[in-house]
Amino acid sequence: MVCRKAILEDVEPLAQMIEEYAERGIMLPRSRKVLERQIDQFVVAEIDGRVVGCGSLCRLGTDLVEIRSLGLRDECKRMGIGSMIVEELIKEAQHQQIPKIMALTYAVNFFVKNGFSVVDKEVFPEKVWTDCVNCSKQNACDEIAVLKMI
Ligand SMILES: CC(C)(COP(=O)(O)OP(=O)(O)OC[C@H]1O[C@@H](n2cnc3c(N)ncnc32)[C@H](O)[C@@H]1OP(=O)(O)O)[C@@H](O)C(=O)NCCC(=O)NCCS
């Protein structure tokens, strides 16, 4: 298993994985065009040349990034791969000297196990002005906010 920065060749498997999760209401959809443009923000986990997981970082402000599009193929869950992707994203945020990393998630325990704390969504005003305005769940968001200082 390797965890590495994504390259353009990963767009197709990434698009398929994200599409499946978007249909289940767990992720926001990302078009292939957007993925191509934002490919530098993604990391992928690969087993025997096959992309089995991904995650991305989105800058929300001068000191804050958000983990987005984090997910694995169902058959690859609970093997530590999600934690490795988060570790890689944290390293990337550290490299960019960004001190705070957050996520909106249903997998709260997973993030707590990875050193995040549950926080009030209201502490992230920047978030409201980016993806949330386009989300169908905007006024009924039931995701939990988690934050880690790095
Ligand atoms: C959440 C997800 C990325 C976790 O990846 P993973 O590789 O299965 O997780 P790990 O094996 O690294 O798990 C580490 C710990 O987190 C906890 N955990 C794992 N998945 C969890 C989940 N879905 N919900 C709550 N806690 C979870 C477990 O306690 C686990 O430790 P254990 O196996 O020793 O009990 C993966 O389940 C997934 O793709 N889920 C669907 C998409 C999703 O919800 N993404 C998050 C959106 S921000």
Side-chain angles (χ1 to χ4, degrees):
M1 213 279 298
V2 286
C3 198
R4 59 166 173 80
K5 290 206 76 162
I7 54 173
L8 278 177
E9 282 73 17
D10 299 317
V11 164
E12 193 49 41
L14 278 175
Q16 286 173 18
M17 247 183 340
I18 293 171
E19 209 165 274
E20 282 172 32
Y21 273 117
E23 279 164 13
R24 292 192 240 165
I26 295 175
M27 279 184 201
L28 286 174
R30 303 267 177 243
S31 71
R32 283 164 178 76
K33 269 214 168 66
V34 165
L35 286 173
E36 272 171 26
R37 213 169 47 230
Q38 298 181 347
I39 197 70
D40 288 346
Q41 300 175 8
F42 277 80
V43 300
V44 294
E46 190 181 66
I47 296 179
D48 297 334
R50 178 175 180 246
V51 172
V52 297
C54 64
S56 73
L57 270 193
C58 175
R59 196 161 186 146
L60 294 184
T62 50
D63 65 347
L64 180 66
V65 277
E66 179 187 6
I67 294 180
R68 286 189 186 169
S69 306
L70 174 68
L72 307 177
R73 297 206 176 275
D74 284 337
E75 67 275 17
C76 296
K77 287 178 182 168
R78 301 306 265 258
M79 294 160 52
I81 299 174
S83 298
M84 287 177 80
I85 293 173
V86 167
E87 210 173 290
E88 202 60 32
L89 292 171
I90 289 172
K91 271 192 216 153
E92 185 57 33
Q94 281 170 331
H95 179 69
Q96 294 177 26
Q97 301 194 316
I98 299 169
K100 294 191 278 181
I101 186 161
M102 61 83 70
L104 285 173
T105 188
Y106 298 112
V108 177
N109 195 36
F110 166 76
F111 280 97
V112 169
K113 287 245 169 161
N114 280 285
F116 288 71
S117 305
V118 173
V119 292
D120 195 321
K121 269 187 275 213
E122 305 308 312
V123 303
F124 302 118
E126 300 100 319
K127 175 71 190 158
V128 173
W129 302 109
T130 55
D131 251 17
C132 293
V133 288
N134 300 316
C135 179
S136 58
K137 293 185 195 166
Q138 193 185 139
N139 296 317
C141 177
D142 54 355
E143 291 187 310
I144 306 293
V146 292
L147 173 69
K148 180 170 175 151
M149 309 295 289
I150 54 180

